[in-house]
Amino acid sequence: MKEQVIEFETAKLAKEKGFPTLEYGYEYNKEGQVVDPTFSKGGYSIPTQSLLHRWLMEIHGYYVIVIPTITSNWTFKIINVLKKNTMEIPPYTDVSGEDFPNFQQALEKGLKEALKLI
């Protein structure tokens, strides 16, 4: 099992919103190519989805809630991007209106939505 890193567009948005440059790992250069592993000025950190989600929760108080849905196949929905202490009691709202084929794609979209709220 391998941690999922965020996409380049999400990395650009995270940097714009103040996500700190990591001291380790990889980065994207301005052309969106992965550079290994030294950071250069103007690069974009590539955190894992879970690290970015933790930063959004601990620093900004945003939670991305993704649930599995059962249709003809297993899919996933973003049911909410919430600010701390505004937790909704089920039934939740379908934020994106989309079914994603896997949890990671749904979470990525939810992370982007949370970053836009900052």
Side-chain angles (χ1 to χ4, degrees):
M1 187 166 37
K2 187 177 177 185
E3 288 270 5
Q4 180 72 34
V5 296
I6 62 173
E7 298 170 354
F8 180 57
E9 291 303 316
T10 310
K12 289 193 316 188
L13 189 55
K15 181 177 180 175
E16 178 184 307
K17 300 299 181 171
F19 186 81
T21 300
L22 300 174
E23 294 176 16
Y24 57 88
Y26 300 90
E27 74 170 16
Y28 287 108
N29 63 20
K30 292 180 182 180
E31 291 75 41
Q33 300 162 329
V34 175
V35 180
D36 173 41
T38 317
F39 294 108
S40 62
K41 257 190 167 176
Y44 300 90
S45 292
I46 308 176
T48 60
Q49 287 179 332
S50 59
L51 182 61
L52 180 59
H53 194 201
R54 184 175 174 186
W55 179 78
L56 285 165
M57 290 184 295
E58 291 179 1
I59 304 301
H60 297 285
Y62 283 103
Y63 293 80
V64 177
I65 302 170
V66 174
I67 62 165
T69 55
I70 303 171
T71 53
S72 57
N73 298 329
W74 279 88
T75 59
F76 295 84
K77 286 188 179 294
I78 304 164
I79 56 169
N80 234 323
V81 177
L82 297 169
K83 186 79 170 160
K84 191 175 184 176
N85 298 325
T86 62
M87 292 296 194
E88 209 177 305
I89 296 174
Y92 296 107
T93 3
D94 179 2
V95 172
S96 67
E98 297 177 62
D99 284 317
F100 296 89
N102 60 53
F103 179 84
Q104 291 79 9
Q105 287 180 0
L107 181 58
E108 185 80 24
K109 174 78 174 187
L111 294 171
K112 287 178 188 174
E113 295 302 316
L115 286 165
K116 291 175 187 176
L117 294 172
I118 297 174

